[in-house]
Amino acid sequence: MNENLQTGRSALPDHSQSPSTNAPIRPLQIEAASRMASLPSQFFAGLVKKANAQIAQGHNVINLGQGNPDRPTPPHIVKSLQESAENPLYHKYPPFSGYGFLKEAIAARYREDYGVTLDPETEVAILFGGKTGLVEISQCLLNPGDVCLVPDPGYPDYWSGVALAGAEMAFMPLREDNAFLPDYGSLSENDVRRAKLMFINYPNNPTASTASEAFYDETIAFAAKNGIVVASDFAYGAIGFDGSRPVSFLERPGAKEVGVEFYTLSKTYNMAGWRVGFALGNPDIIRIINLMQDHMYVSLFGGIQAAAATALTAPQDCVHELRAVYESRRNALFGALNEIGWEAKPSEGSFFAWLPVPRKYSSAEFADLLLNEAKVVVAPGIGFGTHGEGYVRLGLLTGEERLQEAVRRIGELHLFDK
């Protein structure tokens, strides 16, 4: 029998000597870790806020400033997810590094599209979207004080990973007179000596330029000579124009010896919200990425992995159709730009257009002018780096009529009259 019952005492604890429950509790002084203070500011959060303010006032805003695909995921991929979601196998934790069938599917796709042979087990890592891998690789490979070579202008989330690693960035200017490719010969010898990692990205965000086989050969030789790991961001690899297929870094001899490529299903199959990406290439780097992810995730929901495998292994008609849509939109946009006198080189790839700003404006001033006066949202080039100044980025992510309407509104401002 319970001892308290034998003595007649209550079995409940005695709180008579406890501090008053009404005593005020002082709020904790919450202080973020120092690494959080090092993160770059989210430039485009301000852009979204300005656009939403105009929409809230009832204006018909055409938003060409963001990079979110506007078309739905193809029906056969959605159906695959619906069916896979009913499979009890996928209701359990998946393997830490993902299902083998998905790795085999990406390896088969690369073999068919680019002639690249990948070992699914050692040369493919499944990612929670391409962005995750692009941030993780800096944390995987860089120590405080190391240098990462970063394109300028370039995708701002490269900066985030470098900041979280406590490393430093050295920028590689992308200039129009060099086809928006980095000039390795112009980089500081000190930066090159200290660099352990570099990012490249073609088809390029934001400049919409592409890279040749010769550029990748030069990059591989530069990386091998200087002991630098190459991180090739191939997010827009399926989107090339004028009959030109974008070149994969991994196609070139020696690529796997010096780096990895990041691929995502977001753009190729309109699966941005599904968060499926891959790191591909050097097995030592893939092993390190998988090790980090073992401590952070238990891979993607199995039903999404099955649907992603369907996307990769089914006939690729939807990919060809999507590319044709973007090319038609590009042609409609640049045709309209030509009519108002806004001269620019047509996009070579991706779903963006990179356009020069009239000289009397900064890119941010020009973007504000277009929003306030034409109700058109564009992304100021300065948000992508110092060498993005003088340009704005437009997305080909609405229908042709809407793109032409945006240009018509801009034309009414008479900014390009001669």
Side-chain angles (χ1 to χ4, degrees):
M1 181 178 283
N2 186 291
E3 183 180 351
N4 286 333
L5 293 178
Q6 285 181 310
T7 60
R9 297 180 200 157
S10 169
L12 297 174
D14 181 4
H15 291 299
S16 61
Q17 303 302 315
S18 300
S20 170
T21 56
N22 294 323
I25 298 175
R26 295 180 180 179
L28 295 177
Q29 296 297 313
I30 306 298
E31 187 173 329
S34 58
R35 72 177 66 89
M36 300 304 292
S38 71
L39 286 170
S41 60
Q42 284 289 349
F43 181 89
F44 294 100
L47 183 70
V48 173
K49 185 177 180 180
K50 290 178 182 179
N52 287 341
Q54 292 283 344
I55 294 170
Q57 294 173 22
H59 295 295
N60 179 9
V61 174
I62 302 177
N63 190 346
L64 306 181
Q66 295 176 273
N68 199 355
D70 64 307
R71 292 168 65 86
T73 304
H76 68 285
I77 302 173
V78 175
K79 183 178 180 182
S80 177
L81 174 62
Q82 292 169 337
E83 295 173 349
S84 300
E86 296 180 351
N87 186 342
L89 171 66
Y90 299 140
H91 301 172
K92 303 176 181 180
Y93 290 125
F96 271 77
S97 62
Y99 284 104
F101 64 75
L102 180 53
K103 298 177 185 179
E104 291 168 3
I106 186 64
R109 175 54 44 214
Y110 255 67
R111 185 168 54 250
E112 181 173 338
D113 287 352
Y114 307 109
V116 173
T117 299
L118 294 165
D119 183 330
E121 283 305 307
T122 63
E123 297 179 339
V124 178
I126 297 172
L127 307 170
F128 281 73
K131 172 178 175 173
T132 297
L134 294 167
V135 172
E136 284 179 344
I137 192 168
S138 290
Q139 298 170 78
C140 287
L141 299 180
L142 298 177
N143 292 313
D146 288 337
V147 166
C148 179
L149 302 177
V150 180
D152 177 7
Y155 181 50
D157 282 319
Y158 304 149
W159 313 345
S160 303
V162 177
L164 288 169
E168 301 172 20
M169 291 190 293
F171 291 102
M172 301 184 292
L174 307 185
R175 297 187 173 91
E176 189 167 4
D177 59 8
N178 196 45
F180 296 112
L181 300 170
D183 178 2
Y184 299 131
S186 69
L187 301 180
S188 158
E189 291 184 11
N190 182 56
D191 288 340
V192 172
R193 177 179 54 79
R194 296 173 57 211
K196 289 182 62 178
L197 176 67
M198 64 181 293
F199 287 99
I200 55 174
N201 166 221
Y202 297 96
N204 185 257
N205 174 18
T207 70
S209 57
T210 57
S212 65
E213 293 180 349
F215 167 75
Y216 285 118
D217 291 341
E218 179 187 4
T219 300
I220 291 165
F222 170 76
K225 177 182 177 182
N226 295 289
I228 301 171
V229 170
V230 177
S232 169
D233 178 359
F234 202 43
Y236 304 92
I239 308 172
F241 302 136
D242 303 317
S244 177
R245 178 184 63 80
V247 179
S248 163
F249 162 72
L250 292 178
E251 287 183 61
R252 306 309 301 156
K256 277 198 237 179
E257 282 67 38
V258 299
V260 290
E261 184 153 88
F262 292 91
Y263 193 82
T264 172
L265 303 194
S266 295
K267 285 74 177 177
T268 307
Y269 303 99
N270 291 316
M271 293 173 66
W274 299 54
R275 311 313 302 139
V276 187
F278 308 94
L280 314 165
N282 185 279
D284 292 328
I285 301 172
I286 297 300
R287 174 181 55 78
I288 296 169
I289 290 173
N290 277 328
L291 175 61
M292 170 169 276
Q293 296 199 139
D294 282 351
H295 290 273
M296 298 181 73
Y297 316 113
V298 189
S299 197
L300 298 167
F301 169 51
I304 287 181
Q305 293 192 52
T310 296
L312 292 161
T313 58
Q316 300 295 289
D317 295 355
C318 62
V319 179
H320 305 318
E321 292 167 3
L322 183 64
R323 184 187 304 117
V325 166
Y326 286 138
E327 183 161 358
S328 183
R329 290 179 178 181
R330 180 206 64 166
N331 294 343
L333 174 70
F334 279 87
L337 292 173
N338 185 62
E339 289 180 7
I340 68 168
W342 194 350
E343 297 179 357
K345 182 181 178 182
S347 308
E348 296 175 348
S350 82
F351 49 47
F352 296 117
W354 188 238
L355 307 176
V357 168
R359 292 190 178 183
K360 66 178 181 178
Y361 299 102
S362 71
S363 61
E365 290 170 343
F366 187 64
D368 283 345
L369 175 67
L370 297 191
L371 176 59
N372 294 328
E373 301 298 328
K375 310 307 176 190
V376 174
V377 182
V378 299
I382 191 64
F384 302 95
T386 301
H387 287 84
E389 185 54 79
Y391 296 87
V392 290
R393 191 194 72 179
L394 281 66
L396 304 173
L397 300 171
T398 190
E400 292 179 25
E401 291 185 5
R402 195 76 166 153
L403 289 168
Q404 291 167 330
E405 167 65 14
V407 176
R408 184 192 64 76
R409 293 185 190 179
I410 295 169
E412 290 178 349
L413 302 180
H414 302 288
L415 300 168
F416 303 97
D417 292 348
K418 294 182 179 179

